[in-house]
Amino acid sequence: MSTPSTTVEIAFNSPFNSFTLDDATKGVLDNTNFTLGGDVLTDITQYVRAVDVRRGKSRILDDLFQTGTANLVLDNRARIFDPTVGTAVSPYAGQIEPRREVSIKTSGSAVYNGQITDWNFDYSLGGDATAQVLVADAFAALSQTTLSTSFAPSSQLSSARVESVLSRPEVAWPADRRSIATGNATLSAATATPENTNVLNYLNTVAISEAGAFFTNKEGDLQFDARNQAPTSLALFTFSDDGAALTVPYTEIQVEYGSELLFNRIVVTRDGGTDQIVSDATSQASYGVLTNTLNTFLNTDADSLALANFTLGLRKDPVVRFSSLTVALEALTTTQQGQVLGLELNDVVTVKFLPSRAFSPVGVAIEQFCFIENIEHSIQVDRHRIRFGLGATARALLILDDAVFGKLDDNKLLGF
């Protein structure tokens, strides 16, 4: 077992990567490594000192996924990444600038893809120098894009609404950079959207209406998961502290039990409809009145009421839950590393933990199925740690004949 290799690439128009006439290697027609001009992803791994990546929900109370970010620390003692030097010093002279694409992979598996937002430079009088590269994923671009007033969609499924927004000329998101699942919620027709409506906010409202998920995946594509994209037990693997075969060990785990996610009065609004309000008297008597308001594009009041009841069922009681766990990738086998690196936001995993196992274990282990809500990578030369933020799977659908998610009374039969 060893630390898997991580590759960092930045899109540069480097002479080292360009097609060159009469060159035995770079001058070969139809080759894929040396292109005829334009930016190409260029491997700068040799200069990388550290990589930090953060994707997913930023706080426990967030229902929505946030802009994913990466932070690269590069060795800049030779001024390779100095924006003031010429080509005699750096092959990337004139290209140390924002908006360059960045790709991060570990053992060939995608970890992150985004665009540079800032270059920051640190110099030591002792001779050391680093370039810090700040990167943001596709959500950063969407957050700075607005819809025109001519957008007046017809009634359609949530997924069709996402596709129509991304295809708008003022958005023009490439079709091959989307992963959109077919939705379940029907959204209402709308009159002209108010001027300068923010695209990311609009699409997040679509995700709320669906009770699904919208985020930038690790390949850098926009991904929309419908609420019926439930896991199957065959696709699960287990994080565990018991050392059992076919499980993945972790180095840290956090368990929470509180009212941060508790709401016992749910209000669902929609354009042109009546607010639908549902409450749980027993929960309110125990914990007070805690209100959560969901603004949607749903088509009917009946749909709004169904979403309100669904949300109330999830939120009215506090639950003991795993909130996060950390994996030391260098301590895993190659197979385990591949499993962990293959995980994505909104995936489901099994987590097992027996408190005080190493001291004086009492009782049985806690075992839960958890959604992955946050993924953080901390990568250095000799270590690669991944922290997974976790959410409960109370919203998982019942799947007929499934060994885990087919159990009656354990999973939800959605009625909307």
Side-chain angles (χ1 to χ4, degrees):
M1 292 180 284
S2 60
T3 305
S5 61
T6 294
T7 302
V8 178
E9 298 175 303
I10 298 178
F12 286 130
N13 186 4
S14 167
F16 298 144
N17 293 322
S18 299
F19 180 88
T20 305
L21 287 175
D22 300 325
D23 187 277
T25 301
K26 301 178 184 179
V28 177
L29 294 175
D30 299 323
N31 79 85
T32 58
N33 294 320
F34 304 100
T35 59
L36 187 60
D39 294 342
V40 293
L41 286 170
T42 303
D43 191 341
I44 53 99
T45 306
Q46 62 180 311
Y47 304 106
V48 176
R49 293 187 182 180
V51 176
D52 290 291
V53 172
R54 181 182 177 88
R55 301 174 52 238
K57 299 179 181 180
S58 61
R59 301 180 306 122
I60 188 174
L61 294 178
D62 285 335
D63 287 322
L64 302 172
F65 291 93
Q66 307 298 314
T67 300
T69 59
N71 186 359
L72 314 177
V73 179
L74 308 180
D75 187 334
N76 200 28
R77 289 173 296 177
R79 303 183 72 181
I80 297 297
F81 304 103
D82 189 327
T84 67
V85 301
T87 55
V89 175
S90 171
Y92 315 124
Q95 302 180 72
I96 307 304
E97 57 190 6
R99 308 298 290 179
R100 297 278 174 177
E101 181 182 359
V102 172
S103 173
I104 303 171
K105 296 180 180 179
T106 296
S107 296
S109 179
V111 168
Y112 181 88
N113 187 285
Q115 288 191 326
I116 296 172
T117 59
D118 290 286
W119 291 83
N120 297 321
F121 303 94
D122 293 318
Y123 300 96
S124 167
L125 295 182
D128 194 21
T130 60
Q132 186 178 65
V133 187
L134 306 183
V135 192
D137 67 20
F139 267 22
L142 287 187
S143 70
Q144 298 174 354
T145 307
T146 58
L147 295 174
S148 71
T149 57
S150 60
F151 180 59
S154 59
S155 179
Q156 58 191 165
L157 288 178
S158 56
S159 51
R161 183 67 58 86
V162 173
E163 294 279 17
S164 64
V165 170
L166 294 179
S167 297
R168 293 286 303 167
E170 63 267 41
V171 182
W173 198 264
D176 62 349
R177 302 307 300 268
R178 310 176 192 178
S179 178
I180 312 299
T182 301
N184 297 93
T186 299
L187 308 187
S188 64
T191 56
T193 303
E195 185 176 0
N196 294 326
T197 295
N198 183 275
V199 169
L200 182 57
N201 291 342
Y202 188 98
L203 292 174
N204 278 334
T205 302
V206 174
I208 291 172
S209 305
E210 170 65 33
F214 180 60
F215 55 92
T216 304
N217 64 28
K218 57 189 177 181
E219 286 84 11
D221 301 337
L222 294 176
Q223 182 163 330
F224 177 77
D225 290 349
R227 63 173 177 256
N228 68 341
Q229 287 190 233
T232 65
S233 57
L234 295 177
L236 294 176
F237 74 93
T238 301
F239 288 109
S240 178
D241 66 333
D242 61 9
L246 304 180
T247 66
V248 175
Y250 48 82
T251 59
E252 298 177 15
I253 193 166
Q254 291 186 329
V255 181
E256 295 184 357
Y257 178 68
S259 61
E260 295 93 344
L261 300 175
L262 192 155
F263 295 101
N264 46 39
R265 180 176 180 270
I266 308 298
V267 180
V268 176
T269 72
R270 70 180 189 91
D271 291 341
T274 301
D275 292 355
Q276 300 299 303
I277 303 173
V278 296
S279 302
D280 186 276
T282 301
S283 176
Q284 290 181 355
S286 298
Y287 310 111
V289 178
L290 302 169
T291 300
N292 186 22
T293 300
L294 303 176
N295 300 312
T296 76
F297 297 139
L298 288 170
N299 194 44
T300 67
D301 288 343
D303 290 341
S304 296
L305 180 61
L307 177 59
N309 281 318
F310 172 70
T311 306
L312 181 67
L314 299 182
R315 296 294 184 87
K316 64 185 179 64
D317 299 310
V319 295
V320 176
R321 68 183 191 91
F322 293 116
S323 59
S324 69
L325 62 82
T326 301
V327 174
L329 210 58
E330 66 274 10
L332 305 183
T333 66
T334 301
T335 297
Q336 291 171 330
Q337 290 175 355
Q339 288 178 308
V340 173
L341 290 168
L343 292 172
E344 180 56 279
L345 296 173
N346 212 40
D347 282 351
V348 173
V349 295
T350 308
V351 180
K352 294 176 63 176
F353 173 59
L354 179 58
S356 302
R357 182 185 294 277
F359 175 65
S360 179
V362 178
V364 298
I366 305 170
E367 183 173 356
Q368 293 181 353
F369 302 100
C370 303
F371 279 101
I372 295 177
E373 298 188 336
N374 179 275
I375 302 176
E376 299 178 9
H377 293 259
S378 178
I379 307 172
Q380 298 177 2
V381 174
D382 60 348
R383 55 177 279 175
H384 186 155
R385 302 297 163 86
I386 307 178
R387 179 186 178 276
F388 294 98
L390 305 172
T393 58
R395 69 180 177 88
L397 298 171
L398 184 140
I399 304 173
L400 292 177
D401 300 324
D402 187 86
V404 174
F405 297 100
K407 295 180 181 180
L408 293 175
D409 301 322
D410 284 350
N411 301 288
K412 304 292 183 183
L413 279 173
L414 293 186
F416 73 108

